């Protein structure tokens, strides 16, 4: 049964659903107003667009709407106050998708499909994006006007992962209650990035590939790329842990690095760090790990 109504919020019209709606194959719906979804709006096919030349377009309500093919053409951005699901294709035409970084479960959700186009520094998800599936996934995430992808490889089983990028110093994060002191680290770790970090959440074992650009100041972490490592803030040990370097490519201005396998939920955040060289460690120094944690 269909229950739609137009409501006024701050002198702006919004469409509110409090019934059970389904878009069938071939349906086309364009939202030129905000959407409030308090009903069921999930089993959809067809095409859905979100449009605005001036206002911030907002999706809110108590339930997540899920669409099939989606186009976002909102010059001043699409703001999510509840999650928005996509089951097939997404095109970023204009504007970003903004999620509340202090409310991690609210995200742009790619549901068993990971195809999107149009992402760049001006068009991406500024906040959290999630994926459920088993294919390689490149998170189209960034912070303000910087796209900073995070890449997950093919998974052995269907997996849920949620992530965001922060162009912030982990010593003083803006939306986390804890601080992630870069001086607290394993003894063989030399430097931890003070320029940026990522949040990756998930209960299954995976590796991750992080990227860098000129704003990452990689030369201040290590001028030698082979010494770079993916590092994570351990929830149990409350310090930075080496998550490895299984592959690295690029130069000091642009590149990417891949970790060994780990469980994301065991780490608050992840970023790029470095280890000491053999010369810096010294030939007479030995690191002993009695509990086999390397």
């Amino acid at each position: 049964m269909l229950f739609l109504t137009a409501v006024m919020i701050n002198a702006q019209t919004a469409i509110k659903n409090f019934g059970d709606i389904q878009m069938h194959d071939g349906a086309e719906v364009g939202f030129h107003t905000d959407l409030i979804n308090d009903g069921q709006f999930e089993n959809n096919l067809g095409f859905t667009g979100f449009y605005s030349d001036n206002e911030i377009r907002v999706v809110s309500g108590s339930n997540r709407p899920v669409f099939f093919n989606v186009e976002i053409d909102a010059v001043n951005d699409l703001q999510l106050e509840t999650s928005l699901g996509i089951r097939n294709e997404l095109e970023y035409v204009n504007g970003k998708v903004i999620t509340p970084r202090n409310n991690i479960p609210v995200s742009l959700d790619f549901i068993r499909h990971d195809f999107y186009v149009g992402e760049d520094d001006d068009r991406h998800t500024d906040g959290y994006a999630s994926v459920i599936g088993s294919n390689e996934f490149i998170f189209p995430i960034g912070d303000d006007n910087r796209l900073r992808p995070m890449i997950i490889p093919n998974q052995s089983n269907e997996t849920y992962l949620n992530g965001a990028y922060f162009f912030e110093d982990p010593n003083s994060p803006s939306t986390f209650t804890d601080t992630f002191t870069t001086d607290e680290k394993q003894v063989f770790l030399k430097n931890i990035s003070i320029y940026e970090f990522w949040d990756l959440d998930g209960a299954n074992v995976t590796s991750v590939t992080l990227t860098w650009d000129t704003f990452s100041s990689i030369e201040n972490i290590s001028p030698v790329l082979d010494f770079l490592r993916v590092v994570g803030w351990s929830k149990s040990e409350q310090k930075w842990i080496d998550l490895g370097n299984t592959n690295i490519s690029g130069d000091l201005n642009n590149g990417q690095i891949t970790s060994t396998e780990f469980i994301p939920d065991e780490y608050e955040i992840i970023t790029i760090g470095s280890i000491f060289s053999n010369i810096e460690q010294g030939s007479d120094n030995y690191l002993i790990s009695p509990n086999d944690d390397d």
Side-chain angles (χ1 to χ4, degrees):
M1 185 172 294
L2 175 65
F3 290 98
L4 286 175
T5 187
V7 297
M8 294 292 293
I9 301 176
N10 296 326
Q12 183 174 333
T13 302
I15 296 296
K16 181 175 182 179
N17 168 45
F18 52 96
D20 190 348
I21 304 177
Q22 182 177 355
M23 293 170 55
H24 296 279
D25 192 21
E28 296 184 2
V29 174
F31 289 98
H32 295 263
T33 66
D34 295 344
L35 170 63
I36 304 170
N37 185 48
D38 288 335
Q40 299 300 313
F41 204 178
E42 294 184 335
N43 298 316
N44 294 307
L45 296 174
F47 173 86
T48 305
F50 293 90
Y51 304 103
S52 175
D53 292 330
N54 299 300
E55 306 90 0
I56 298 174
R57 186 62 61 235
V58 179
V59 176
S60 62
S62 57
N63 294 328
R64 177 185 71 174
V66 178
F67 299 107
F68 193 66
N69 293 324
V70 175
E71 176 180 85
I72 296 171
D73 189 359
V75 174
N76 288 316
D77 304 329
L78 174 67
Q79 180 175 309
L80 302 186
E81 295 179 2
T82 190
S83 294
L84 173 66
I86 299 166
R87 293 197 295 113
N88 197 43
E89 299 180 2
L90 167 67
E91 182 175 4
Y92 295 93
V93 178
N94 280 301
K96 305 177 187 70
V97 179
I98 299 177
T99 77
R101 293 172 180 269
N102 59 353
N103 189 3
I104 295 174
V106 175
S107 58
L108 180 66
D109 301 335
F110 293 85
I111 303 170
R112 297 181 181 86
H113 208 277
D114 54 10
F115 182 77
Y116 57 83
V117 295
E119 76 285 1
D120 59 20
D121 285 343
D122 297 317
R123 300 172 295 177
H124 55 260
T125 300
D126 188 339
Y128 283 86
S130 78
V131 62
I132 180 168
S134 57
N135 296 331
E136 178 187 79
F137 184 70
I138 303 174
F139 285 85
I141 53 177
D143 192 341
D144 199 11
N145 292 324
R146 294 182 65 221
L147 174 68
R148 294 306 312 284
M150 175 173 59
I151 306 165
I152 299 299
N154 291 330
Q155 306 291 308
S156 58
N157 299 298
E158 189 170 84
T159 301
Y160 172 82
L161 292 160
N162 191 26
Y165 168 75
F166 296 78
F167 187 40
E168 299 178 359
D169 183 349
N171 291 286
S172 53
S174 62
T175 58
F176 290 82
T177 56
D178 295 331
T179 57
F180 312 109
T181 308
T182 52
D183 289 336
E184 296 293 331
K185 57 186 184 295
Q186 288 177 309
V187 66
F188 50 83
L189 290 175
K190 182 178 182 181
N191 293 317
I192 308 295
S193 175
I194 59 172
Y195 310 102
E196 60 189 353
F197 61 86
W198 290 257
D199 182 15
L200 178 62
D201 304 308
N204 296 332
V205 172
T206 187
S207 61
V208 65
T209 298
L210 303 181
T211 59
W212 70 80
D213 61 15
T214 55
F215 294 97
S216 303
S217 299
I218 285 296
E219 69 276 5
N220 294 329
I221 302 172
S222 173
V224 180
L225 296 186
D226 286 343
F227 296 156
L228 294 176
R229 295 292 186 273
V230 177
V231 296
W233 180 267
S234 169
K235 294 180 180 179
S236 60
E237 299 189 45
Q238 291 294 289
K239 64 181 179 182
W240 291 98
I241 301 296
D242 180 11
L243 298 179
N245 171 1
T246 64
N247 188 48
I248 193 166
S249 62
D251 54 33
L252 293 176
N253 295 318
N254 289 278
Q256 60 184 40
I257 181 173
T258 302
S259 73
T260 56
E261 291 188 332
F262 67 103
I263 299 176
D265 281 351
E266 294 181 355
Y267 298 87
E268 288 281 5
I269 61 173
I270 56 177
T271 190
I272 299 173
S274 65
I275 60 171
F276 288 98
S277 68
N278 291 334
I279 294 176
E280 290 173 311
Q281 290 181 21
S283 59
D284 294 330
N285 294 329
Y286 296 89
L287 302 178
I288 299 174
S289 176
N291 60 345
D292 295 323
D293 67 353
D294 295 329

PDB file of all heavy atoms in Angstrom, residues 44-75:
ATOM      1  N   ASN A  44      13.258  -2.286  -4.804  1.00  0.00           N
ATOM      2  CA  ASN A  44      13.052  -1.424  -5.950  1.00  0.00           C
ATOM      3  C   ASN A  44      13.888  -1.834  -7.150  1.00  0.00           C
ATOM      4  O   ASN A  44      15.017  -2.320  -7.016  1.00  0.00           O
ATOM      5  CB  ASN A  44      13.396   0.022  -5.575  1.00  0.00           C
ATOM      6  CG  ASN A  44      12.449   0.580  -4.535  1.00  0.00           C
ATOM      7  OD1 ASN A  44      11.238   0.531  -4.702  1.00  0.00           O
ATOM      8  ND2 ASN A  44      12.999   1.103  -3.448  1.00  0.00           N
ATOM      9  N   LEU A  45      13.322  -1.603  -8.329  1.00  0.00           N
ATOM     10  CA  LEU A  45      14.049  -1.696  -9.595  1.00  0.00           C
ATOM     11  C   LEU A  45      14.001  -0.315 -10.242  1.00  0.00           C
ATOM     12  O   LEU A  45      13.672   0.672  -9.602  1.00  0.00           O
ATOM     13  CB  LEU A  45      13.421  -2.766 -10.483  1.00  0.00           C
ATOM     14  CG  LEU A  45      13.488  -4.205  -9.953  1.00  0.00           C
ATOM     15  CD1 LEU A  45      12.691  -5.135 -10.857  1.00  0.00           C
ATOM     16  CD2 LEU A  45      14.937  -4.673  -9.854  1.00  0.00           C
ATOM     17  N   GLY A  46      14.362  -0.245 -11.515  1.00  0.00           N
ATOM     18  CA  GLY A  46      14.249   1.023 -12.209  1.00  0.00           C
ATOM     19  C   GLY A  46      15.357   1.998 -11.868  1.00  0.00           C
ATOM     20  O   GLY A  46      16.466   1.622 -11.476  1.00  0.00           O
ATOM     21  N   PHE A  47      15.050   3.290 -11.994  1.00  0.00           N
ATOM     22  CA  PHE A  47      16.037   4.366 -11.908  1.00  0.00           C
ATOM     23  C   PHE A  47      15.558   5.424 -10.926  1.00  0.00           C
ATOM     24  O   PHE A  47      14.388   5.830 -10.949  1.00  0.00           O
ATOM     25  CB  PHE A  47      16.235   4.990 -13.291  1.00  0.00           C
ATOM     26  CG  PHE A  47      17.107   6.205 -13.295  1.00  0.00           C
ATOM     27  CD1 PHE A  47      18.479   6.091 -13.398  1.00  0.00           C
ATOM     28  CD2 PHE A  47      16.552   7.472 -13.194  1.00  0.00           C
ATOM     29  CE1 PHE A  47      19.290   7.222 -13.395  1.00  0.00           C
ATOM     30  CE2 PHE A  47      17.338   8.599 -13.204  1.00  0.00           C
ATOM     31  CZ  PHE A  47      18.718   8.476 -13.305  1.00  0.00           C
ATOM     32  N   THR A  48      16.471   5.889 -10.055  1.00  0.00           N
ATOM     33  CA  THR A  48      16.164   6.929  -9.080  1.00  0.00           C
ATOM     34  C   THR A  48      17.227   8.010  -9.160  1.00  0.00           C
ATOM     35  O   THR A  48      18.430   7.716  -9.181  1.00  0.00           O
ATOM     36  CB  THR A  48      16.121   6.366  -7.653  1.00  0.00           C
ATOM     37  OG1 THR A  48      15.201   5.284  -7.597  1.00  0.00           O
ATOM     38  CG2 THR A  48      15.707   7.440  -6.659  1.00  0.00           C
ATOM     39  N   GLY A  49      16.797   9.264  -9.190  1.00  0.00           N
ATOM     40  CA  GLY A  49      17.734  10.376  -9.208  1.00  0.00           C
ATOM     41  C   GLY A  49      17.478  11.343  -8.066  1.00  0.00           C
ATOM     42  O   GLY A  49      16.334  11.511  -7.631  1.00  0.00           O
ATOM     43  N   PHE A  50      18.560  11.950  -7.571  1.00  0.00           N
ATOM     44  CA  PHE A  50      18.461  12.995  -6.552  1.00  0.00           C
ATOM     45  C   PHE A  50      19.045  14.265  -7.154  1.00  0.00           C
ATOM     46  O   PHE A  50      20.209  14.287  -7.569  1.00  0.00           O
ATOM     47  CB  PHE A  50      19.228  12.595  -5.288  1.00  0.00           C
ATOM     48  CG  PHE A  50      18.621  11.431  -4.563  1.00  0.00           C
ATOM     49  CD1 PHE A  50      19.014  10.128  -4.863  1.00  0.00           C
ATOM     50  CD2 PHE A  50      17.641  11.622  -3.596  1.00  0.00           C
ATOM     51  CE1 PHE A  50      18.455   9.047  -4.203  1.00  0.00           C
ATOM     52  CE2 PHE A  50      17.076  10.543  -2.933  1.00  0.00           C
ATOM     53  CZ  PHE A  50      17.483   9.248  -3.239  1.00  0.00           C
ATOM     54  N   TYR A  51      18.229  15.349  -7.175  1.00  0.00           N
ATOM     55  CA  TYR A  51      18.593  16.537  -7.931  1.00  0.00           C
ATOM     56  C   TYR A  51      18.446  17.804  -7.087  1.00  0.00           C
ATOM     57  O   TYR A  51      17.495  17.935  -6.303  1.00  0.00           O
ATOM     58  CB  TYR A  51      17.708  16.654  -9.172  1.00  0.00           C
ATOM     59  CG  TYR A  51      17.749  15.425 -10.049  1.00  0.00           C
ATOM     60  CD1 TYR A  51      16.699  14.509 -10.047  1.00  0.00           C
ATOM     61  CD2 TYR A  51      18.844  15.166 -10.860  1.00  0.00           C
ATOM     62  CE1 TYR A  51      16.735  13.380 -10.847  1.00  0.00           C
ATOM     63  CE2 TYR A  51      18.894  14.032 -11.664  1.00  0.00           C
ATOM     64  CZ  TYR A  51      17.834  13.145 -11.649  1.00  0.00           C
ATOM     65  OH  TYR A  51      17.888  12.020 -12.427  1.00  0.00           O
ATOM     66  N   SER A  52      19.381  18.712  -7.291  1.00  0.00           N
ATOM     67  CA  SER A  52      19.275  20.033  -6.687  1.00  0.00           C
ATOM     68  C   SER A  52      20.326  20.943  -7.297  1.00  0.00           C
ATOM     69  O   SER A  52      21.486  20.556  -7.438  1.00  0.00           O
ATOM     70  CB  SER A  52      19.465  19.974  -5.168  1.00  0.00           C
ATOM     71  OG  SER A  52      19.464  21.281  -4.616  1.00  0.00           O
ATOM     72  N   ASP A  53      19.905  22.168  -7.640  1.00  0.00           N
ATOM     73  CA  ASP A  53      20.844  23.164  -8.146  1.00  0.00           C
ATOM     74  C   ASP A  53      21.338  24.088  -7.044  1.00  0.00           C
ATOM     75  O   ASP A  53      22.374  24.745  -7.206  1.00  0.00           O
ATOM     76  CB  ASP A  53      20.187  24.009  -9.242  1.00  0.00           C
ATOM     77  CG  ASP A  53      19.906  23.196 -10.493  1.00  0.00           C
ATOM     78  OD1 ASP A  53      20.655  22.242 -10.763  1.00  0.00           O
ATOM     79  OD2 ASP A  53      18.920  23.520 -11.190  1.00  0.00           O
ATOM     80  N   ASN A  54      20.591  24.154  -5.936  1.00  0.00           N
ATOM     81  CA  ASN A  54      20.923  25.120  -4.888  1.00  0.00           C
ATOM     82  C   ASN A  54      20.961  24.501  -3.497  1.00  0.00           C
ATOM     83  O   ASN A  54      21.971  24.554  -2.817  1.00  0.00           O
ATOM     84  CB  ASN A  54      19.911  26.285  -4.909  1.00  0.00           C
ATOM     85  CG  ASN A  54      19.927  27.030  -6.230  1.00  0.00           C
ATOM     86  OD1 ASN A  54      20.945  27.578  -6.629  1.00  0.00           O
ATOM     87  ND2 ASN A  54      18.779  27.058  -6.928  1.00  0.00           N
ATOM     88  N   GLU A  55      19.850  23.893  -3.071  1.00  0.00           N
ATOM     89  CA  GLU A  55      19.766  23.381  -1.705  1.00  0.00           C
ATOM     90  C   GLU A  55      20.599  22.118  -1.524  1.00  0.00           C
ATOM     91  O   GLU A  55      20.900  21.408  -2.475  1.00  0.00           O
ATOM     92  CB  GLU A  55      18.307  23.057  -1.324  1.00  0.00           C
ATOM     93  CG  GLU A  55      17.333  24.199  -1.518  1.00  0.00           C
ATOM     94  CD  GLU A  55      16.734  24.190  -2.902  1.00  0.00           C
ATOM     95  OE1 GLU A  55      17.081  23.306  -3.705  1.00  0.00           O
ATOM     96  OE2 GLU A  55      15.910  25.082  -3.185  1.00  0.00           O
ATOM     97  N   ILE A  56      20.946  21.851  -0.282  1.00  0.00           N
ATOM     98  CA  ILE A  56      21.484  20.539   0.074  1.00  0.00           C
ATOM     99  C   ILE A  56      20.320  19.556   0.050  1.00  0.00           C
ATOM    100  O   ILE A  56      19.301  19.765   0.704  1.00  0.00           O
ATOM    101  CB  ILE A  56      22.137  20.564   1.473  1.00  0.00           C
ATOM    102  CG1 ILE A  56      23.319  21.532   1.496  1.00  0.00           C
ATOM    103  CG2 ILE A  56      22.590  19.166   1.878  1.00  0.00           C
ATOM    104  CD1 ILE A  56      23.919  21.710   2.884  1.00  0.00           C
ATOM    105  N   ARG A  57      20.433  18.492  -0.721  1.00  0.00           N
ATOM    106  CA  ARG A  57      19.381  17.489  -0.782  1.00  0.00           C
ATOM    107  C   ARG A  57      19.584  16.520   0.373  1.00  0.00           C
ATOM    108  O   ARG A  57      20.707  16.061   0.605  1.00  0.00           O
ATOM    109  CB  ARG A  57      19.417  16.756  -2.129  1.00  0.00           C
ATOM    110  CG  ARG A  57      18.293  15.793  -2.366  1.00  0.00           C
ATOM    111  CD  ARG A  57      16.915  16.455  -2.386  1.00  0.00           C
ATOM    112  NE  ARG A  57      16.777  17.444  -3.437  1.00  0.00           N
ATOM    113  CZ  ARG A  57      16.407  18.702  -3.209  1.00  0.00           C
ATOM    114  NH1 ARG A  57      16.157  19.118  -1.970  1.00  0.00           N
ATOM    115  NH2 ARG A  57      16.290  19.556  -4.199  1.00  0.00           N
ATOM    116  N   VAL A  58      18.521  16.174   1.127  1.00  0.00           N
ATOM    117  CA  VAL A  58      18.632  15.395   2.360  1.00  0.00           C
ATOM    118  C   VAL A  58      17.778  14.133   2.268  1.00  0.00           C
ATOM    119  O   VAL A  58      16.629  14.178   1.834  1.00  0.00           O
ATOM    120  CB  VAL A  58      18.197  16.232   3.590  1.00  0.00           C
ATOM    121  CG1 VAL A  58      18.287  15.393   4.866  1.00  0.00           C
ATOM    122  CG2 VAL A  58      19.044  17.494   3.710  1.00  0.00           C
ATOM    123  N   VAL A  59      18.358  12.997   2.699  1.00  0.00           N
ATOM    124  CA  VAL A  59      17.619  11.753   2.884  1.00  0.00           C
ATOM    125  C   VAL A  59      17.621  11.442   4.368  1.00  0.00           C
ATOM    126  O   VAL A  59      18.693  11.343   4.986  1.00  0.00           O
ATOM    127  CB  VAL A  59      18.246  10.587   2.098  1.00  0.00           C
ATOM    128  CG1 VAL A  59      17.506   9.282   2.393  1.00  0.00           C
ATOM    129  CG2 VAL A  59      18.235  10.878   0.605  1.00  0.00           C
ATOM    130  N   SER A  60      16.444  11.281   4.958  1.00  0.00           N
ATOM    131  CA  SER A  60      16.335  11.031   6.397  1.00  0.00           C
ATOM    132  C   SER A  60      15.198  10.058   6.648  1.00  0.00           C
ATOM    133  O   SER A  60      14.604   9.508   5.722  1.00  0.00           O
ATOM    134  CB  SER A  60      16.102  12.350   7.147  1.00  0.00           C
ATOM    135  OG  SER A  60      14.871  12.943   6.737  1.00  0.00           O
ATOM    136  N   GLY A  61      14.903   9.828   7.912  1.00  0.00           N
ATOM    137  CA  GLY A  61      13.813   8.939   8.295  1.00  0.00           C
ATOM    138  C   GLY A  61      14.299   7.776   9.128  1.00  0.00           C
ATOM    139  O   GLY A  61      15.498   7.589   9.356  1.00  0.00           O
ATOM    140  N   SER A  62      13.372   6.951   9.556  1.00  0.00           N
ATOM    141  CA  SER A  62      13.693   5.842  10.457  1.00  0.00           C
ATOM    142  C   SER A  62      14.158   4.591   9.722  1.00  0.00           C
ATOM    143  O   SER A  62      14.737   3.698  10.343  1.00  0.00           O
ATOM    144  CB  SER A  62      12.469   5.502  11.322  1.00  0.00           C
ATOM    145  OG  SER A  62      11.345   5.188  10.503  1.00  0.00           O
ATOM    146  N   ASN A  63      13.922   4.497   8.404  1.00  0.00           N
ATOM    147  CA  ASN A  63      14.287   3.309   7.638  1.00  0.00           C
ATOM    148  C   ASN A  63      15.165   3.661   6.441  1.00  0.00           C
ATOM    149  O   ASN A  63      14.997   4.722   5.831  1.00  0.00           O
ATOM    150  CB  ASN A  63      13.034   2.574   7.139  1.00  0.00           C
ATOM    151  CG  ASN A  63      12.214   1.998   8.271  1.00  0.00           C
ATOM    152  OD1 ASN A  63      12.753   1.600   9.301  1.00  0.00           O
ATOM    153  ND2 ASN A  63      10.910   1.954   8.087  1.00  0.00           N
ATOM    154  N   ARG A  64      16.051   2.756   6.089  1.00  0.00           N
ATOM    155  CA  ARG A  64      16.922   2.934   4.934  1.00  0.00           C
ATOM    156  C   ARG A  64      16.171   2.662   3.641  1.00  0.00           C
ATOM    157  O   ARG A  64      15.647   1.569   3.448  1.00  0.00           O
ATOM    158  CB  ARG A  64      18.116   1.984   5.035  1.00  0.00           C
ATOM    159  CG  ARG A  64      19.066   2.049   3.831  1.00  0.00           C
ATOM    160  CD  ARG A  64      20.157   1.001   3.917  1.00  0.00           C
ATOM    161  NE  ARG A  64      19.659  -0.355   3.691  1.00  0.00           N
ATOM    162  CZ  ARG A  64      20.422  -1.437   3.596  1.00  0.00           C
ATOM    163  NH1 ARG A  64      21.726  -1.324   3.730  1.00  0.00           N
ATOM    164  NH2 ARG A  64      19.888  -2.629   3.388  1.00  0.00           N
ATOM    165  N   PRO A  65      16.119   3.610   2.708  1.00  0.00           N
ATOM    166  CA  PRO A  65      15.606   3.295   1.379  1.00  0.00           C
ATOM    167  C   PRO A  65      16.701   2.607   0.561  1.00  0.00           C
ATOM    168  O   PRO A  65      17.888   2.916   0.703  1.00  0.00           O
ATOM    169  CB  PRO A  65      15.260   4.668   0.793  1.00  0.00           C
ATOM    170  CG  PRO A  65      16.204   5.605   1.481  1.00  0.00           C
ATOM    171  CD  PRO A  65      16.449   5.038   2.851  1.00  0.00           C
ATOM    172  N   VAL A  66      16.314   1.676  -0.297  1.00  0.00           N
ATOM    173  CA  VAL A  66      17.254   0.945  -1.141  1.00  0.00           C
ATOM    174  C   VAL A  66      16.761   1.025  -2.583  1.00  0.00           C
ATOM    175  O   VAL A  66      15.627   0.638  -2.879  1.00  0.00           O
ATOM    176  CB  VAL A  66      17.383  -0.531  -0.713  1.00  0.00           C
ATOM    177  CG1 VAL A  66      18.339  -1.269  -1.644  1.00  0.00           C
ATOM    178  CG2 VAL A  66      17.865  -0.630   0.726  1.00  0.00           C
ATOM    179  N   PHE A  67      17.623   1.519  -3.480  1.00  0.00           N
ATOM    180  CA  PHE A  67      17.256   1.694  -4.875  1.00  0.00           C
ATOM    181  C   PHE A  67      18.139   0.824  -5.767  1.00  0.00           C
ATOM    182  O   PHE A  67      19.125   0.255  -5.312  1.00  0.00           O
ATOM    183  CB  PHE A  67      17.358   3.160  -5.270  1.00  0.00           C
ATOM    184  CG  PHE A  67      16.446   4.053  -4.470  1.00  0.00           C
ATOM    185  CD1 PHE A  67      16.961   4.904  -3.495  1.00  0.00           C
ATOM    186  CD2 PHE A  67      15.075   4.024  -4.667  1.00  0.00           C
ATOM    187  CE1 PHE A  67      16.131   5.719  -2.743  1.00  0.00           C
ATOM    188  CE2 PHE A  67      14.234   4.837  -3.924  1.00  0.00           C
ATOM    189  CZ  PHE A  67      14.756   5.683  -2.960  1.00  0.00           C
ATOM    190  N   PHE A  68      17.771   0.739  -7.048  1.00  0.00           N
ATOM    191  CA  PHE A  68      18.484  -0.101  -8.005  1.00  0.00           C
ATOM    192  C   PHE A  68      19.553   0.725  -8.719  1.00  0.00           C
ATOM    193  O   PHE A  68      20.712   0.710  -8.324  1.00  0.00           O
ATOM    194  CB  PHE A  68      17.482  -0.718  -8.993  1.00  0.00           C
ATOM    195  CG  PHE A  68      18.055  -1.839  -9.813  1.00  0.00           C
ATOM    196  CD1 PHE A  68      18.452  -3.025  -9.211  1.00  0.00           C
ATOM    197  CD2 PHE A  68      18.185  -1.723 -11.193  1.00  0.00           C
ATOM    198  CE1 PHE A  68      18.983  -4.072  -9.963  1.00  0.00           C
ATOM    199  CE2 PHE A  68      18.709  -2.761 -11.952  1.00  0.00           C
ATOM    200  CZ  PHE A  68      19.113  -3.932 -11.339  1.00  0.00           C
ATOM    201  N   ASN A  69      19.205   1.455  -9.742  1.00  0.00           N
ATOM    202  CA  ASN A  69      20.135   2.382 -10.385  1.00  0.00           C
ATOM    203  C   ASN A  69      19.911   3.785  -9.827  1.00  0.00           C
ATOM    204  O   ASN A  69      18.764   4.241  -9.736  1.00  0.00           O
ATOM    205  CB  ASN A  69      19.930   2.392 -11.897  1.00  0.00           C
ATOM    206  CG  ASN A  69      20.325   1.066 -12.533  1.00  0.00           C
ATOM    207  OD1 ASN A  69      21.273   0.415 -12.102  1.00  0.00           O
ATOM    208  ND2 ASN A  69      19.588   0.655 -13.560  1.00  0.00           N
ATOM    209  N   VAL A  70      20.999   4.466  -9.494  1.00  0.00           N
ATOM    210  CA  VAL A  70      20.903   5.763  -8.820  1.00  0.00           C
ATOM    211  C   VAL A  70      21.806   6.775  -9.510  1.00  0.00           C
ATOM    212  O   VAL A  70      22.947   6.466  -9.874  1.00  0.00           O
ATOM    213  CB  VAL A  70      21.285   5.659  -7.331  1.00  0.00           C
ATOM    214  CG1 VAL A  70      21.305   7.044  -6.677  1.00  0.00           C
ATOM    215  CG2 VAL A  70      20.309   4.752  -6.592  1.00  0.00           C
ATOM    216  N   GLU A  71      21.285   7.986  -9.649  1.00  0.00           N
ATOM    217  CA  GLU A  71      22.061   9.127 -10.157  1.00  0.00           C
ATOM    218  C   GLU A  71      22.002  10.239  -9.122  1.00  0.00           C
ATOM    219  O   GLU A  71      20.929  10.545  -8.597  1.00  0.00           O
ATOM    220  CB  GLU A  71      21.461   9.606 -11.482  1.00  0.00           C
ATOM    221  CG  GLU A  71      22.122  10.842 -12.057  1.00  0.00           C
ATOM    222  CD  GLU A  71      21.473  11.263 -13.357  1.00  0.00           C
ATOM    223  OE1 GLU A  71      20.445  11.984 -13.314  1.00  0.00           O
ATOM    224  OE2 GLU A  71      21.990  10.867 -14.421  1.00  0.00           O
ATOM    225  N   ILE A  72      23.160  10.831  -8.826  1.00  0.00           N
ATOM    226  CA  ILE A  72      23.217  11.930  -7.864  1.00  0.00           C
ATOM    227  C   ILE A  72      23.697  13.173  -8.596  1.00  0.00           C
ATOM    228  O   ILE A  72      24.838  13.237  -9.062  1.00  0.00           O
ATOM    229  CB  ILE A  72      24.146  11.594  -6.685  1.00  0.00           C
ATOM    230  CG1 ILE A  72      23.578  10.401  -5.908  1.00  0.00           C
ATOM    231  CG2 ILE A  72      24.303  12.804  -5.761  1.00  0.00           C
ATOM    232  CD1 ILE A  72      24.510   9.847  -4.875  1.00  0.00           C
ATOM    233  N   ASP A  73      22.809  14.140  -8.727  1.00  0.00           N
ATOM    234  CA  ASP A  73      23.110  15.395  -9.404  1.00  0.00           C
ATOM    235  C   ASP A  73      22.641  16.535  -8.500  1.00  0.00           C
ATOM    236  O   ASP A  73      21.690  17.241  -8.807  1.00  0.00           O
ATOM    237  CB  ASP A  73      22.421  15.438 -10.768  1.00  0.00           C
ATOM    238  CG  ASP A  73      22.872  16.629 -11.611  1.00  0.00           C
ATOM    239  OD1 ASP A  73      23.698  17.424 -11.131  1.00  0.00           O
ATOM    240  OD2 ASP A  73      22.389  16.761 -12.752  1.00  0.00           O
ATOM    241  N   ALA A  74      23.322  16.676  -7.370  1.00  0.00           N
ATOM    242  CA  ALA A  74      22.995  17.696  -6.374  1.00  0.00           C
ATOM    243  C   ALA A  74      24.234  18.571  -6.185  1.00  0.00           C
ATOM    244  O   ALA A  74      25.190  18.159  -5.523  1.00  0.00           O
ATOM    245  CB  ALA A  74      22.580  17.059  -5.058  1.00  0.00           C
ATOM    246  N   VAL A  75      24.209  19.737  -6.793  1.00  0.00           N
ATOM    247  CA  VAL A  75      25.401  20.591  -6.842  1.00  0.00           C
ATOM    248  C   VAL A  75      25.944  20.874  -5.451  1.00  0.00           C
ATOM    249  O   VAL A  75      27.158  20.896  -5.231  1.00  0.00           O
ATOM    250  CB  VAL A  75      25.076  21.903  -7.585  1.00  0.00           C
ATOM    251  CG1 VAL A  75      26.264  22.858  -7.523  1.00  0.00           C
ATOM    252  CG2 VAL A  75      24.703  21.604  -9.036  1.00  0.00           C
TER     253      VAL A  75
END
